[in-house]
Amino acid sequence: MERPFILTSFVLLVAVTFWTIHHLRKGNLRSARIALAATAAAFAFLFFFLTLRGKATQACPLNTLPDALAFLGWSILLLAFATGLSFHIHLLGAFTAPLVILLLLPSVFARRFPTFVRLNPLDPWVEFHAALSLVAYGAFGIAAVAAVLYLVQENNLKSHRFGKTLFLLPPITELTLANARMTDAGIFCLTISFIAGYLSNLPIPFFKLLTSCLIWLFFAASAFLRYRRKSTPRLQAILSIACFLLALISFPIVHFLSVLSNLMPIP
Amino acid sequence: MNIFCAGINHRLASVAIREQLAISDREAPCFLSRLLRAEGTTGAVVLSTCNRVEVYAATICPAHTSRLLRELLSDRCQVHYPLYEFHTPASVRHLYRVASGLDSMVLGETEILGQVKRAYSLAAHAGTLCKPLHKLFQNAFHVAKSIRSETLITRGPTSVGAAAVELAHQIFGNLSGKRILILGAGETAELTARVFLQRGARSIIVSNRSFDRAAKLAHEIGGLAIHFDNWQNVFDDIDILICSTSAPHVVVTTSQVQLLMARRPHRPLFVIDLAVPRDAEPAINSLDGVFLYDIDSLQSIVHETLQIRQSEVSRCEELINSEVRTFLRWLQSHYHHRIANASNRIQESVSDLPYRTTKHSSPPASSFLGPAPDHFQSSRLPS
C-alpha cells in the first residue's frame, strides 16, 4: 500500500533533477518554478508514505534504515522549502533532489516494509529524540547543499567563468548565510534531541554515544570558528560538507544500534 | 484589413534625422488624429523613441495611409526621408520584434517594452485605437514577456558598469548598505560608482593622490574623501574596491590585501580594477573571499552576454512566428465574423421590407403623392 507513494515521490524527484540539469544548461529560469511544484508534490507523496508507515508501526516511522532515511529525506525537503523561501534561494529545492533521491533508494528497492514489535513500552522522549535527531540531520543536509552551491558559484566567480549558470545561481553571501543558519539550527536540534535521549531511560550503546558526540563536536567547532571569525566562507562550506558526509556515513551504524536496543522485527 | 507599419530607426537614419522626426507625447494625439483622416484608416499608434519613429495603423487602404503619413512627416521637417514600410504579416512580426528588443541597438534591451506600452496608452487616451490594434499591442506585450522569461535574450550585462553591478549582485545579493572605496578619481571609476549608488550602495569613499580632486569627486557624488595614504584604514568597512589610478605600478598588492582580509575573513571583497596599467596585483584573486575583475574580464562578460543573446535570436524568432500566426488567425476570424454580421444585418433589413409593408398594410406610394400630373404620366408612357 505504501509503495506507490514512495515510488511516485522518487520518480518526481528524478524528474526534477533531470529537468533542472537540462534547464540549467539552457539557462532557463522557468525550470525553478516547475521544479518547485514537482518537489512539493514529491514532498506530499513522501509525507503520505511516512504516515502509512507510522500507522503500520504505531510510532514514528524510524524503525528500519529505509524508513529512517525516508524520514531524513522528508525533513531535508521540508527545510529546503523553508530555507529557499526565507533566503530567496530558488534553486535549493532542485539541488536538494539528488540528495533525497539517494536517501530514498533503500525504500524504493525494499522488498517489503516490515512491521515491528516493541521490546520496551512507547517512550515519548525516545520518539522525540529520534525524530528531532533526523530533523537536525536534515538541517545539516541543507547546509551541505547550500555549501555545494556556494563552492560552485565561488568557482564561477573566481575563475571568471561566465557560463549560463553564473547569473542563475544564488549570490554567495546568501548561500553563506543559509549555510550558517542551517548549521546553527542543526546544532540546536541535535542538542535538544540529546537532552531528550538523556531524559529517556533507554540504554545508550557506547559507540552510538561516541559517534553522536563527535558529530555534534565537529559541527559545534565549525560554528565556533565562524562566530570567532577565524574561518572564511569557503572553509565553512568545506567543513559543512565534510561534517555532513561523516554524519551520513555513520548514520546506518547509529541507527542500527538505536533500533537494536528498542525493537525487534516480526518474524 | 491591413496592419500597416512605417517608420525610421537607428539602422536607417542617423540621430540628426531621427531627432527631426521625433514625435513628443504632447504632439502625438494631434498627429494620430490627423493620420486617422486617411481614407480607410481605423486606428493608429505612434512609437517615438531615441532609436525609432514608427507608426502602426489598421487600414484597408495602406497606400492612402502611407501617403498621408509621409505628408505629415515632411510637414514637420520640410524634407522627405525614406521610410521602411511593412504590411501584414511583416508589420505584426516587426512590432513583436521591436517589443522584444530584437530590433534594438543593444540586442535584448528591455526599456523598449515600456516605450511600446507608453505608445499604446497614448493612442488609447487619444482615442485612436481600434480593436485589431488593441489586440496586436496586447499580444506584443505578451510575446515580449514570454521571450524574456523563456529565452536568454535579456540575460546578462551589456556594459562594463552593468557587468560590475551584476557581479556584485552575485557576490552580495542586495547592494543596499554596501560601501565602496574608489582609488583614483578617474571618470570610469566615477561612472561605475554612480551605477552602484543608483542600485542602492550606501556610501562612497574617494581616495586620490591629489586630495583636492578626491574632495571634488566626493562632493559631486555625495561621498567622503580621504588622503591616499589612509585608504587602508577604511578597508575593514568596505565591500567594493574600485581602482582607477594612473599609477604606473601596482597600488594594491597581494600581501597588503592578505593582511587586511585577515581582519575580516567572513566578509567578501569585490575588487574592480579599471586602471591600465592595472592597480591590483592579479594574485589577489586567489585569496579567500576576494574577487578581482579587471577591465578585460569585465569586457569579456559583456562580450559573452552579447554572444549568448545572439545565439538566442533564432529561438525568439520561432516564438514570434508562432505568435504572428496566432494573431493572423484571430484577425481573419475577427473579420469573417464582422463580414458575416454585416451581411446578416443587410439580409435582415432587406427581408424586413416586405414584412413591414404587409404588416402595416401601407398604402401605395401613389396615395401619398396623389395622381401623377398629365405631362409626367405622358412622358413615362411609351409613345
Side-chain angles (χ1 to χ4, degrees):
Chain A
M1 193 179 169
E2 301 97 323
R3 197 173 294 278
F5 290 106
I6 190 82
L7 281 178
T8 314
S9 179
F10 182 79
V11 169
L12 279 169
L13 290 170
V14 170
V16 165
T17 306
F18 281 106
W19 184 270
T20 307
I21 293 168
H22 174 68
H23 282 82
L24 266 180
R25 288 172 112 188
K26 274 170 63 181
N28 192 339
L29 259 180
R30 273 202 170 183
S31 58
R33 265 178 275 165
I34 293 167
L36 190 71
T39 314
F43 173 77
F45 281 109
L46 197 52
F47 174 77
F48 291 132
F49 168 77
L50 289 169
T51 309
L52 290 174
R53 289 297 297 142
K55 279 185 181 167
T57 55
Q58 298 293 312
C60 265
L62 307 167
N63 298 326
T64 63
L65 185 62
D67 280 355
L69 288 175
F71 191 92
L72 177 57
W74 177 83
S75 68
I76 286 178
L77 282 180
L78 177 71
L79 291 167
F81 285 124
T83 319
L85 289 175
S86 36
F87 293 93
H88 306 289
I89 306 175
H90 55 270
L91 284 172
L92 193 65
F95 274 85
T96 308
L99 175 62
V100 181
I101 287 170
L102 284 179
L103 296 173
L104 294 190
L105 278 176
S107 292
V108 168
F109 292 105
R111 289 193 174 183
R112 65 190 183 95
F113 296 109
T115 49
F116 285 80
V117 284
R118 196 166 282 279
L119 290 178
N120 306 311
L122 190 73
D123 183 348
W125 285 116
V126 175
E127 299 293 305
F128 183 61
H129 157 76
L132 203 61
S133 298
L134 286 182
V135 173
Y137 274 46
F140 294 142
I142 291 297
V145 172
V148 169
L149 279 172
Y150 173 90
L151 291 177
V152 171
Q153 185 68 322
E154 194 217 27
N155 186 48
N156 281 338
L157 286 164
K158 281 266 186 198
S159 60
H160 299 183
R161 210 178 291 148
F162 320 114
K164 289 173 179 174
T165 54
L166 175 71
F167 296 111
L168 289 181
L169 293 179
I172 54 166
T173 313
E174 282 170 18
L175 290 168
T176 308
L177 195 64
N179 174 269
R181 294 275 162 84
M182 280 295 113
T183 307
D184 291 351
I187 293 168
F188 177 76
C189 289
L190 202 58
T191 311
I192 301 289
S193 108
F194 282 2
I195 295 167
Y198 177 75
L199 290 174
S200 70
N201 291 319
L202 271 181
I204 304 168
F206 174 73
F207 184 77
K208 184 192 168 187
L209 184 69
L210 180 74
T211 318
S212 307
C213 286
L214 274 178
I215 288 166
W216 187 92
L217 271 175
F218 284 138
F219 278 109
S222 136
F224 178 76
L225 284 176
R226 174 163 37 86
Y227 279 111
R228 297 288 298 169
R229 298 189 169 176
K230 297 283 181 198
S231 69
T232 58
R234 183 182 166 75
L235 181 63
Q236 280 297 313
I238 293 167
L239 281 176
S240 190
I241 295 166
C243 290
F244 179 67
L245 284 178
L246 185 76
L248 211 56
I249 291 164
S250 63
F251 183 76
I253 306 162
V254 171
H255 180 263
F256 175 72
L257 292 171
S258 305
V259 172
L260 203 66
S261 58
N262 200 26
L263 302 161
M264 67 176 291
I266 293 169
Chain B
M1 173 61 67
N2 198 324
I3 301 291
F4 167 80
C5 165
I8 204 161
N9 67 7
H10 58 279
R11 287 198 198 89
L12 200 66
S14 67
V15 68
I17 297 172
R18 295 200 307 271
E19 70 189 3
Q20 286 187 57
L21 295 179
I23 297 160
S24 68
D25 288 0
R26 214 179 52 187
E27 294 168 308
C30 175
F31 182 86
L32 287 170
S33 54
R34 285 173 71 189
L35 191 64
L36 277 194
R37 287 180 205 153
E39 197 178 322
T41 308
T42 53
V45 177
V46 62
L47 172 66
S48 180
T49 72
C50 53
N51 280 332
R52 66 187 67 245
V53 179
E54 283 176 353
V55 167
Y56 293 86
T59 174
I60 50 171
C61 303
H64 286 134
T65 315
S66 171
R67 199 179 311 124
L68 183 61
L69 173 67
R70 284 166 199 278
E71 279 171 22
L72 289 174
L73 289 177
S74 62
D75 282 352
R76 291 173 66 81
C77 50
Q78 315 304 324
V79 187
H80 281 285
Y81 288 113
L83 304 178
Y84 49 74
E85 270 188 26
F86 298 112
H87 301 267
T88 325
S91 53
V92 178
R93 185 176 294 113
H94 180 71
L95 176 64
Y96 288 179
R97 293 185 86 252
V98 168
S100 313
L102 294 185
D103 201 53
S104 297
M105 192 180 266
V106 177
L107 184 65
E109 60 101 2
T110 51
E111 202 183 336
I112 186 69
L113 181 59
Q115 290 164 331
V116 174
K117 281 182 177 171
R118 182 152 187 79
Y120 167 83
S121 67
L122 271 174
H125 278 115
T128 60
L129 269 184
C130 57
K131 199 169 180 185
L133 279 184
H134 165 76
K135 180 78 177 168
L136 174 69
F137 274 77
Q138 290 299 330
N139 280 7
F141 305 150
H142 167 73
V143 170
K145 277 182 193 166
S146 299
I147 282 178
R148 199 188 284 190
S149 59
E150 287 174 26
T151 71
L152 302 175
I153 199 72
T154 58
R155 194 69 49 77
T158 51
S159 69
V160 167
V165 170
E166 286 282 332
L167 286 168
H169 272 295
Q170 291 312 113
I171 295 168
F172 302 108
N174 193 351
L175 290 183
S176 63
K178 297 290 170 274
R179 301 188 89 174
I180 300 166
L181 169 64
I182 304 177
L183 287 184
E187 195 185 341
T188 326
E190 182 198 333
L191 286 172
T192 312
R194 280 186 195 278
V195 177
F196 275 108
L197 277 178
Q198 280 168 6
R199 298 291 184 94
R202 189 174 61 172
S203 62
I204 291 188
I205 304 163
V206 187
S207 182
N208 194 47
R209 287 205 189 274
S210 151
F211 182 76
D212 291 344
R213 228 176 131 190
K216 190 174 168 235
L217 177 59
H219 177 71
E220 279 172 17
I221 58 178
L224 177 78
I226 56 165
H227 284 281
F228 197 73
D229 298 335
N230 297 338
W231 72 264
Q232 292 179 35
N233 296 342
V234 294
F235 195 84
D236 286 1
D237 296 329
I238 62 158
D239 302 286
I240 300 164
L241 172 65
I242 303 175
C243 309
S244 75
T245 74
S246 51
H249 53 79
V250 168
V251 176
V252 185
T253 63
T254 312
S255 54
Q256 259 177 339
V257 178
Q258 198 166 16
L259 275 174
L260 295 167
M261 282 302 285
R263 302 205 305 245
R264 39 167 290 175
H266 58 290
R267 268 175 80 179
L269 176 72
F270 181 27
V271 184
I272 305 163
D273 189 354
L274 300 171
V276 180
R278 287 178 291 179
D279 282 343
E281 230 171 34
I284 67 167
N285 190 47
S286 60
L287 297 175
D288 257 6
V290 182
F291 302 93
L292 169 68
Y293 283 79
D294 58 26
I295 190 80
D296 272 5
S297 44
L298 290 172
Q299 268 167 353
S300 72
I301 294 183
V302 173
H303 182 66
E304 196 155 331
T305 296
L306 292 175
Q307 272 187 333
I308 289 174
R309 288 187 179 198
Q310 201 62 49
S311 70
E312 288 295 296
V313 170
S314 57
R315 271 177 73 196
C316 299
E317 296 285 5
E318 277 172 29
L319 269 167
I320 286 175
N321 285 340
S322 123
E323 291 291 336
V324 168
R325 280 194 292 274
T326 310
F327 177 75
L328 292 181
R329 272 199 298 274
W330 175 86
L331 195 65
Q332 208 172 12
S333 68
H334 175 69
Y335 276 93
H336 278 168
H337 185 66
R338 282 193 67 177
I339 289 165
N341 277 351
S343 82
N344 281 347
R345 274 201 301 275
I346 291 164
Q347 270 182 357
E348 273 172 22
S349 56
V350 167
S351 60
D352 271 3
L353 275 174
Y355 173 70
R356 275 188 201 141
T357 314
T358 48
K359 191 178 178 186
H360 300 293
S361 51
S362 306
S366 57
S367 64
F368 295 108
L369 298 172
D374 289 346
H375 69 272
F376 183 72
Q377 284 181 358
S378 59
S379 69
R380 285 174 70 201
L381 290 170
S383 54

